[in-house]
C-alpha cells in the first residue's frame, strides 16, 4: 500500500518490514556517535506495516535535538533517502524527527554523542555559563569583581566544540592560571576528569582585567584560552596613605 508515515533508521539499526512489535519496523541498537563526525541516517516512506512505498517522493526534513547542527532536507527517491548528520553537542539523549507533507512524522530512537578528544582549555567566570556544542562554548559575560575579594572560576579541557573532554593525545592534567594583575602569582592545579576550580584574589582595580589558562605539561599542549576583559573595582577603604 502507499506511504502513510516516515521511518528513521540510525546506524546500528536494520529495517524489518512488517514487524509490529516494538521497535516497530526495525531491529538493533543505535550506535554511539562522536561530536563533529558525520554519520548517515536513512529515512523511508512506509505503509502502516513499515513496508517501503517505492512511489513515495515527498520532500523530507530531518531535525534533531542538537541546537547547533545543520538540519538537512531532500526528496525521497523510490521511497527512501539517506541524510548525513553531524552533531556538535555531546549528550546521551539525542533524537531525530523526520517530517514531510502528507505523511505522519517519523521519530528515531535516542542515541548518544560522545565528546571528541580534548584540544583546548576553557575558563568560565562568574556571570558566564558553559554551553557545550555552541560556537563560543559559553554565554554571558564575566561579572564585575572587587579587589582583595576572592572569587572562583571553572576550567575545562574541551574538544573542538567546547564539550568537556578528558581523552586524546593532547589531554594533560596540569594547568596554570595567570592574570594581567602583576601582584597576583600564577596558580597551578590538576584537572580531574577534565575540570578544576580555581579560587583567586585580584589586587589591582582595573576596567580591563583578564585571565589566561595554559597547559603546562610537556608538549604538545592543549590550546590556551583567555577571558574577556572584566572590571575589578576598588574594595572599601580600610586605611590612609
Amino acid at each position: 500500500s502507499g506511504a502513510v508515515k516516515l521511518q528513521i533508521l540510525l546506524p546500528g539499526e536494520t529495517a524489518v518490514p512488517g514487524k509490529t512489535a516494538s521497535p516497530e519496523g526495525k531491529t538493533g541498537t543505535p550506535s554511539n556517535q562522536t561530536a563533529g563526525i558525520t554519520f548517515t541516517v536513512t529515512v523511508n516512506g512506509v505503509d502502516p506495516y513499515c513496508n517501503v512505498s517505492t512511489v513515495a517522493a515527498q520532500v523530507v526534513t530531518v531535525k534533531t535535538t542538537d541546537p547547533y547542527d545543520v538540519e538537512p532536507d531532500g526528496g525521497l527517491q523510490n521511497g527512501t533517502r539517506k541524510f548525513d548528520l553531524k552533531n556538535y553537542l555531546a549528550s546521551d539523549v539525542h533524537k531525530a524527527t523526520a517530517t514531510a507533507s502528507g505523511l505522519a512524522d517519523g521519530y528515531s530512537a535516542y542515541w548518544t554523542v560522545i565528546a571528541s578528544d580534548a584540544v583546548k582549555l576553557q575558563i568560565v567566570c562568574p556571570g558566564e555559563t558553559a554551553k557545550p556544542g555552541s560556537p563560543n562554548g559559553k554565554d554571558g559575560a564575566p561579572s564585575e569583581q572587587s579587589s582583595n575579594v576572592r572569587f572562583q572560576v571553572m576550567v575545562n579541557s574541551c574538544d573542538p566544540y567546547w564539550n568537556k573532554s578528558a581523552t586524546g593525545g593532547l589531554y594533560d592534567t596540569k594547568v596554570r592560571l595567570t592574570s594581567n594583575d602583576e601582584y597576583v602569582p600564577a596558580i597551578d592545579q590538576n584537572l580531574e576528569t577534565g575540570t578544576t576550580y580555581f579560587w583567586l584574589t585580584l589586587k589591582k582595580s582595573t576596567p580591563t582585567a583578564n585571565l589566561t589558562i595554559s597547559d603546562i605539561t610537556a608538549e604538545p599542549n592543549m590550546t590556551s584560552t583567555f577571558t574577556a576583559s572584566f572590571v575589578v573595582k576598588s574594595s572599601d577603604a580600610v586605611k590612609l596613605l
Side-chain angles (χ1 to χ4, degrees), residues 171-175 189-193 196 215 217 222:
Y171 176 71
D172 298 310
T173 57
K174 194 169 187 179
V175 293
Q189 288 184 189
N190 291 323
L191 297 168
E192 295 185 7
T193 61
T196 190
D215 177 354
T217 317
M222 294 179 286

Side-chain angles (χ1 to χ4, degrees), residues 95-134:
K95 194 172 187 178
T97 302
T99 60
S101 177
L103 299 178
D105 294 349
Y107 302 98
S108 76
Y110 289 101
W111 73 90
T112 295
V113 175
I114 60 174
S116 299
D117 289 342
V119 297
K120 57 187 176 182
L121 294 168
Q122 177 190 53
I123 310 175
V124 182
C125 293
E128 297 180 314
T129 302
K131 291 288 184 181
S134 68

